Amino acid sequence: MTTSETWHDRKRYLWLFGLVPPTAILLALALVWAFNQFGWHSAAAVWWWIGPLLVYVLLPILDRFFGPDGQNPPEELMEQLENDRYYRFCVYAYIPFQLISLVLAGYLWTAPNLSWLGIDGGLNLVSKIGLAFSIGAMGGVGINAAHEMGHKKDELERWLSKITLAQTFYGHFYIEHNRGHHVRVATPEDPASARLGESFWAFLPRSVFGSLRSSWSLERARLHRMGKRPWDIRNDVLNAWLLSVLLWGALAVVFGPGVLPFLALQAVYGFSLLETVNYLEHYGLLRRRTASGRYERCTPEHSWNSDHIVTNIFLYHLQRHSDHHANPTRRYQILRSMDGAPNLPSGYASMITLAYLPPVWRRVMDHRVLAHYDGHIARANIHPRQRDRLLAKYEVRA
């Protein structure tokens, strides 16, 4: 039997693997050079796609091999773990590597001569797209690092969150996620909660533009209460975007305007990864209205969980999503896998690929939503355009 005296965090040093995404392009650089030295030029170019290879191939395989975690910290050690600064520095370290890799990628995208890497001239179009997607994957995981810091009360961590979001030009996420999504989660009013029968490709624009509108509305209302206009530097949407303008502007000055297509491509891919995760976290789940007309409090049953250990390490326990919604300021190292939460069949990395394929996604997930509500499909958060079809298909039960 495990007690507080014998318990230890077996993932304590594994959290350093969270630095793989922001350093992956450095590894790719070494592999490209080595392969070119052996004359394996075609194979060398594959490593520019190291980000997608990590997300769609390596992580799902490792999740399958290592399986679920199953370890929760004892209640009496929660405060000690919360105050252990080692864990927060594991997240802080993401930022310098992220910025170094972004600058390096800007150079690689625009360099006319990469002979030192064994490449004749600069990168070809396919390699450039792979490079942009790899840096975009880093930015997408970086949004999760920003998510971890943005929930905290410490002012420094909140600014570090905005700096991390600058790469993907998604600084408004800092506002919408904390003050919008966490209030409206698992309701039809939340643009980041996917509805039963809604494909990812329909969800993506709804979430992107809905979250943008919501973040601006939230900040405009906050500033109005202060007697300020929305076009003010204290608007957290504007000052977060300003960091992106400064970062992108600096890269354009250093590497020329030719770097801007790279920045745009990596940003779109990066925030689309975030939105894919948003899609699977609350798919079809719905909070009921109480007698007063308000929504019930968010509970573990309103978030899809996965406790697969490998993706948990890379995403700082984001997959323990029910505990996160119950305790938004709780640091990642003490998030628990909670009873009562519906569970995904695999880790987020595997489910991301399924989300891109609507027929496969529906085959895997719709019956799980139905089972979660004991066959009462009308209790789910149903996509309005699919409501009649789904109610007829599964037969409404009282």
Side-chain angles (χ1 to χ4, degrees), residues 173-185 187 189-192 214-215 218 287:
F173 171 82
Y174 168 82
I175 297 300
E176 165 55 20
H177 180 82
N178 293 346
R179 288 160 45 200
H181 174 64
H182 271 263
V183 174
R184 300 183 296 243
V185 63
T187 71
E189 289 77 23
D190 180 30
S214 176
S215 63
L218 289 166
R287 287 153 59 196

Side-chain angles (χ1 to χ4, degrees), residues 229-249:
R229 295 182 177 181
W231 296 96
D232 188 289
I233 193 62
R234 282 166 288 197
N235 184 324
D236 281 329
V237 173
L238 290 181
N239 59 50
W241 285 348
L242 180 59
L243 290 175
S244 293
V245 170
L246 292 174
L247 177 61
W248 287 30

Side-chain angles (χ1 to χ4, degrees), residues 20 31 62 90 101 113 125 136 139 146 162 168 209 242 372 378 395:
V20 168
L31 290 170
L62 292 176
C90 288
S101 293
N113 183 3
L125 180 60
K162 292 180 184 179
T168 48
F209 293 108
L242 180 59
H372 180 59
E395 299 181 2

Side-chain angles (χ1 to χ4, degrees), residues 45-268:
V46 172
W47 294 113
W48 297 120
W49 293 82
I50 193 169
L53 288 172
L54 178 68
V55 172
Y56 302 120
V57 180
L58 183 59
L59 284 181
I61 291 173
L62 292 176
D63 267 342
R64 181 76 174 177
F65 183 79
F66 288 101
D69 180 354
Q71 186 191 50
N72 280 339
E75 190 68 35
E76 56 268 31
L77 291 182
M78 298 281 269
E79 184 176 356
Q80 177 184 328
L81 286 168
E82 174 86 13
N83 294 324
D84 189 337
R85 298 183 68 84
Y86 163 80
Y87 292 97
R88 66 188 70 180
F89 286 123
C90 288
V91 182
Y92 296 169
Y94 197 100
I95 302 172
F97 287 114
Q98 176 189 20
L99 294 175
I100 289 168
S101 293
L102 182 63
V103 172
L104 174 61
Y107 158 72
L108 293 169
W109 177 279
T110 56
N113 183 3
L114 293 173
S115 57
W116 61 277
L117 275 176
I119 297 173
D120 185 17
L123 295 180
N124 61 34
L125 180 60
V126 173
S127 295
K128 283 187 173 184
I129 294 173
L131 174 66
F133 274 48
S134 292
I135 294 298
M138 175 185 77
V141 178
I143 294 176
N144 181 59
H147 164 261
E148 170 65 23
M149 294 181 285
H151 270 296
K152 305 305 175 283
K153 297 178 181 179
D154 185 272
E155 192 65 25
L156 172 62
E157 289 187 277
R158 293 186 176 192
W159 274 103
L160 289 176
S161 175
K162 292 180 184 179
I163 290 170
T164 310
L165 292 167
Q167 174 193 336
T168 48
F169 225 114
Y170 228 56
H172 58 281
F173 171 82
Y174 168 82
I175 297 300
E176 165 55 20
H177 180 82
N178 293 346
R179 288 160 45 200
H181 174 64
H182 271 263
V183 174
R184 300 183 296 243
V185 63
T187 71
E189 289 77 23
D190 180 30
S193 292
R195 301 156 179 172
L196 180 66
E198 181 179 32
S199 74
F200 168 70
W201 304 107
F203 168 83
L204 179 61
R206 183 173 73 84
S207 184
V208 170
F209 293 108
S211 297
L212 180 59
R213 287 192 298 268
S214 176
S215 63
W216 184 260
S217 177
L218 289 166
E219 272 302 271
R220 182 175 57 190
R222 182 181 72 88
L223 291 168
H224 178 74
R225 291 192 297 270
M226 297 170 57
K228 306 293 182 183
R229 295 182 177 181
W231 296 96
D232 188 289
I233 193 62
R234 282 166 288 197
N235 184 324
D236 281 329
V237 173
L238 290 181
N239 59 50
W241 285 348
L242 180 59
L243 290 175
S244 293
V245 170
L246 292 174
L247 177 61
W248 287 30
L251 291 171
V253 168
V254 173
F255 299 117
V259 79
L260 293 176
F262 156 72
L263 291 172
L265 182 58
Q266 63 83 27
V268 170

Side-chain angles (χ1 to χ4, degrees), residues 240-386:
W241 285 348
L242 180 59
L243 290 175
S244 293
V245 170
L246 292 174
L247 177 61
W248 287 30
L251 291 171
V253 168
V254 173
F255 299 117
V259 79
L260 293 176
F262 156 72
L263 291 172
L265 182 58
Q266 63 83 27
V268 170
Y269 179 65
F271 71 66
S272 73
L273 280 178
L274 161 76
E275 296 297 352
T276 315
V277 171
N278 278 340
Y279 176 75
L280 59 91
E281 284 177 333
H282 305 282
Y283 177 76
L285 302 180
L286 180 66
R287 287 153 59 196
R288 290 181 172 183
R289 288 191 183 272
T290 64
S292 66
R294 302 182 67 179
Y295 286 108
E296 64 182 329
R297 183 179 178 181
C298 187
T299 67
E301 69 179 57
H302 299 123
S303 301
W304 289 99
N305 270 28
S306 172
D307 203 27
H308 284 69
I309 188 170
V310 176
T311 303
N312 258 343
I313 289 167
F314 276 78
L315 295 182
Y316 305 112
H317 268 162
L318 180 67
Q319 297 180 132
R320 294 184 169 183
H321 210 59
S322 294
D323 195 7
H324 169 66
H325 270 277
N327 303 281
T329 61
R330 178 169 285 173
R331 294 190 182 274
Y332 69 93
Q333 65 269 22
I334 59 174
L335 290 174
R336 302 158 299 173
S337 185
M338 301 183 73
D339 294 334
N343 279 279
L344 296 169
S346 188
Y348 281 12
S350 302
M351 300 305 294
I352 284 173
T353 303
L354 296 187
Y356 296 154
L357 307 169
V360 179
W361 173 265
R362 287 194 295 269
R363 191 174 302 119
V364 171
M365 287 301 299
D366 283 12
H367 72 91
R368 286 181 164 85
V369 177
L370 185 65
H372 180 59
Y373 289 113
D374 298 321
H376 298 258
I377 195 68
R379 289 173 55 190
N381 184 8
I382 304 176
H383 188 42
R385 295 179 184 176
Q386 299 292 328

